[in-house]
Amino acid sequence: MEWTPEPHELADLELLLSGAFDPLTGFLGHDDLHTVHERGTLADGTPWPAPVTLHLPVEVSPGDEVTLLDPEGLPLAVLTVTAQESDGLTAGPVKPLGTPEHGPFARLRRTPAEVKEELGGRRGLAVTMRGPLDDLSEIVDTAKELDAVIMLLALSYGEPGPAVVRAALRAKDQLPDGAIVVSVPLAPRAEPEIDLELREHVATAYGATEHLAGPEPVSIPGPPHRRGLVVFFTGLSGSGKSTIARGLRDALLELGSRTVTYLDGDVVRQLLSKGLTFSKSDRDLNIRRIGFVAAEAARHGGLAICAPIAPYATTRAEVREMVESVGADFLLVHVATPLEECERRDRKGLYAKARAGLIPEFTGISDPYEEPDDADLVIDTTHMTIDAAVSQVLGTLRSGGWVR
């Protein structure tokens, strides 16, 4: 079996393989997780502060081997399964198959063994960074006092990662000769105390005799009209969502204040998702593809409009997470036109075919539509003109500051 882990799982995998998570050799199971939560140790009493877990969506058995892939499909490691819980939590040791190549700054992603070799027995002062270093004097003074080499461990996980590495490289230019910069993809933990403990473990693995934690970055978002935005329409076939989405696109193009990308569900099906069926797994994949493209458009400040049916709440939530993870905003618009009205319109004759059993797994007839409970705007077009619906969405964008 082959599987591509989630981004935070991939980051943990890389640190397991490099030895930065020493003494861990694999993903933790139920017993170790229980003692980590309760006592800050593994089940055998070894100190360890944070969960390091992997979830697989398919059932596996002890002894099975799973090849773990990077986002480009290249094999990274083999996981030998020792246990799996009912929620997919899968434990077991991992063995490397290759050097990780995905992500930026590959030349700076050095292993603890490589850094220790460069230290050559000298003391090391590790500074873990999630943002810029405002004052270097404490670092310089501490390094002099310890007679230590300064190691800037740039915690380069996720969207802020490249900026953290750039900050480390700038800081190196202002530090004494011999300072080392290492890109470490350590995903942040939710609890600050646990995150700090884990940073100290990683610093020790890299040979540090002393650890300083850099200040947490202060994020000040730009004004809404300069931030990326995804307007995501969801609703039954025939609800009017595509027509409203096209009207919104035209209105925004007329205003000329935003770069607009329009992703219609039918067009995406013909191009980006050609060949996919209407099974639940393929529908989910189709929505994830739309979400990925929309998030990329929004990543650099663009405004993306999407109009798929998107019947499942979990997949819509995944798209929201994709968008917000790149620092953009997400606006969910539920076009809540009732099934009876959608079926009455039925310009393509799809509902009639579904009622006759000619179209299997048709949303609203033989497959469910999970109405969103997290919609930012709800519109029923039964007694509303398209122009009025477009005006309502555009008004929401204006009141939220996304359009001026």
Side-chain angles (χ1 to χ4, degrees):
M1 174 191 169
E2 295 181 335
W3 178 248
T4 301
E6 295 296 319
H8 70 281
E9 295 171 335
L10 276 172
D12 284 350
L13 173 62
E14 185 171 334
L15 298 177
L16 285 169
L17 297 175
S18 73
F21 273 177
D22 182 66
L24 298 192
T25 58
F27 291 102
L28 303 182
H30 177 271
D31 291 345
D32 283 324
L33 288 177
H34 176 73
T35 55
V36 164
H37 284 298
E38 293 295 319
R39 300 195 297 270
T41 71
L42 302 177
D44 63 4
T46 302
W48 187 258
V52 177
T53 59
L54 176 72
H55 284 78
L56 294 179
V58 296
E59 186 176 343
V60 290
S61 302
D64 289 350
E65 292 190 342
V66 181
T67 301
L68 302 176
L69 310 176
D70 74 7
E72 298 175 0
L74 297 177
L76 284 177
V78 170
L79 165 72
T80 302
V81 177
T82 56
Q84 186 181 50
E85 303 297 322
S86 59
D87 62 354
L89 177 73
T90 306
V94 291
K95 291 185 179 179
L97 292 176
T99 302
E101 298 178 2
H102 63 282
F105 300 108
R107 71 180 182 86
L108 297 175
R109 285 152 66 182
R110 305 170 65 189
T111 67
E114 291 169 340
V115 173
K116 287 177 180 177
E117 183 177 355
E118 183 171 347
L119 287 175
R122 294 173 295 170
R123 289 172 170 266
L125 170 63
V127 182
T128 54
M129 301 172 53
R130 291 208 187 276
L133 298 172
D134 299 327
D135 182 8
L136 300 179
S137 60
E138 180 187 0
I139 297 171
V140 173
D141 292 344
T142 304
K144 286 182 179 178
E145 181 182 335
L146 296 173
D147 189 23
V149 177
I150 298 171
M151 302 184 294
L152 300 179
L153 304 185
L155 306 183
S156 55
Y157 174 78
E159 190 69 17
V164 177
V165 176
R166 289 193 296 269
L169 292 172
R170 286 194 300 269
K172 179 185 177 184
D173 292 338
Q174 304 173 55
L175 293 171
D177 291 342
I180 300 170
V181 174
V182 184
S183 176
V184 182
L186 179 64
R189 268 48 182 185
E191 298 180 38
E193 297 83 0
I194 290 178
D195 190 65
L196 179 59
E197 284 189 53
L198 192 56
R199 289 162 72 164
E200 290 178 346
H201 271 267
V202 170
T204 300
Y206 273 93
T209 50
E210 188 76 21
H211 169 238
L212 294 176
E216 291 300 309
V218 177
S219 178
I220 303 175
H225 69 278
R226 296 193 178 180
R227 291 205 301 270
L229 172 67
V230 173
V231 183
F232 193 94
F233 291 88
T234 176
L236 295 169
S237 178
S239 62
K241 63 187 180 303
S242 293
T243 309
I244 300 171
R246 286 194 296 269
L248 178 64
R249 174 200 60 188
D250 294 348
L252 291 171
L253 291 175
E254 289 176 18
L255 288 172
S257 60
R258 299 291 307 239
T259 301
V260 179
T261 300
Y262 175 61
L263 299 167
D264 178 71
D266 291 337
V267 175
V268 169
R269 275 278 178 184
Q270 295 173 16
L271 299 173
L272 186 64
S273 295
K274 189 179 180 72
L276 293 185
T277 69
F278 287 90
S279 67
K280 185 179 187 306
S281 60
D282 277 4
R283 289 185 191 202
D284 285 344
L285 178 56
N286 178 54
I287 300 305
R288 290 190 190 102
R289 288 178 177 178
I290 292 173
F292 173 79
V293 174
E296 289 300 301
R299 180 191 294 271
H300 303 292
L303 190 155
I305 302 170
C306 313
I309 292 175
Y312 307 120
T314 299
T315 319
R316 293 192 299 260
E318 288 182 35
V319 174
R320 184 187 288 273
E321 171 63 24
M322 284 184 204
V323 173
E324 293 179 347
S325 71
V326 302
D329 295 330
F330 184 84
L331 188 77
L332 182 63
V333 181
H334 178 204
V335 184
T337 308
L339 175 61
E340 295 76 13
E341 177 63 16
C342 296
E343 194 166 359
R344 185 188 67 78
R345 297 171 182 178
D346 202 15
R347 291 185 303 160
K348 300 177 183 178
L350 299 177
Y351 283 101
K353 291 179 180 178
R355 293 284 186 192
L358 300 177
I359 303 178
E361 298 177 301
F362 189 84
T363 300
I365 303 299
S366 53
D367 208 61
Y369 176 80
E370 299 173 359
E371 294 198 0
D373 57 10
D374 60 341
D376 302 286
L377 180 63
V378 178
I379 299 175
D380 182 347
T381 65
T382 303
H383 304 294
M384 178 184 289
T385 66
I386 293 301
D387 287 345
V390 171
S391 295
Q392 191 169 344
V393 180
L394 192 59
T396 300
L397 297 187
R398 282 198 170 107
S399 64
W402 291 294
V403 174
R404 299 174 73 180

